[in-house]
Amino acid sequence: MKLQTLSQSYIEPKDLLKGLELAEISEFLISRVFPRFSWKETLAQVKEVKRETPSTKTFVLQMNGNFSGYSAGQHATVNIQKSGKRVSRTYSFSSPEGAKNPTITVKRQPQGLVSNALHDEIKVGDILEIGPAYGDFLLPSTENPILYIAGGSGITPIFSQISSLVNKGENREVHLLYFSRSPEEIIFGSQLQKWAKEKSWFHLHLFVDELKNETENISVARVTPSLLKEKRNSLKNPSIFVCGPKPLKDIVISTFGEENVKSEVFGFGNTGTVSGSKVKVNLSLSHREIEIDSNLSILEGLEKEGFFPPSGCRMGICHSCVCEKKEGQVLSLTDEKASTNGIESIRICVTKANSNLSLEL
């Protein structure tokens, strides 16, 4: 039981202590003076909010003593209370490794429950609960050149890695191909261009879908195998990193081979762009039955209907949303393979329903 408020009316001490641990009471009282205090949880106070683009903000965080740090390229869950529910999303750290005040950079997503809440409701002084850092999208230990390929908000873990290299004073050859919709949506554009001018080892290539006015150092182009091969062939045995939407990752992997690419996926492209048929999802533990759109991931479909199961990264990485499927068939969004109708564990953030389902939720 988590102590949230104390009644202003008189309560017998024995009644107040009923069902409560001493640690919870002391945590509540201490946190009135020190908002980031917690015996166990990692809490972060928002120290600054920076607007990066019209749809992107960076949140500068001051962590409490429970935070164990992160490596450049890793991410963590951010937990908030929304509509009386505890909801989580995963965001990459955008600050360099070892930063005194780590940052997360969040792009507003259409109908994004947490991204919209962070943009519209979170202000300086607010407290966020942060999960431990995880992920293996890490800087290679070799001194080979690095070829980064980023799309949209997929720049965030890559920016963390490049800024870490800058801070360490390294001279490793780095090339960044960064694809955005428009110049206005290029996240960290000014800093990236500053590094490109100051650091002889950093080579920046910015691409946009459309360009109304001619802009220096920005080209109109979309990612293609020929563009990727041209850049790859100019480098000697580079480490290849890609982070962005699934269609971007698919092109990069089909061009170079999965074994040659380190990848991180932000979102799954076309899910939910067109309404599909309705399927029934029986939630055995909650004794509920909910109809969801078969073109959405199961997680998105349940959330759209007001049911918020545990979740985290929404990319199939953290396994926070794993549950047991009792009956029915699902389709994986990661490899587009259909499951059997039998019992199995599934990650509901990266699966769609192919039939009516029974889930242990």
Side-chain angles (χ1 to χ4, degrees), residues 2-15:
K2 183 75 175 175
L3 183 61
Q4 300 292 347
T5 58
L6 292 173
S7 171
Q8 293 184 6
S9 58
Y10 177 75
I11 303 175
E12 287 285 345
K14 66 178 188 309
D15 294 327

Side-chain angles (χ1 to χ4, degrees), residues 4-31:
Q4 300 292 347
T5 58
L6 292 173
S7 171
Q8 293 184 6
S9 58
Y10 177 75
I11 303 175
E12 287 285 345
K14 66 178 188 309
D15 294 327
L16 174 64
L17 293 173
K18 234 178 241 182
L20 297 176
E21 298 290 339
L22 180 60
E24 290 180 314
I25 297 172
S26 61
E27 181 175 307
F28 173 82
L29 295 174
I30 296 171
S31 67

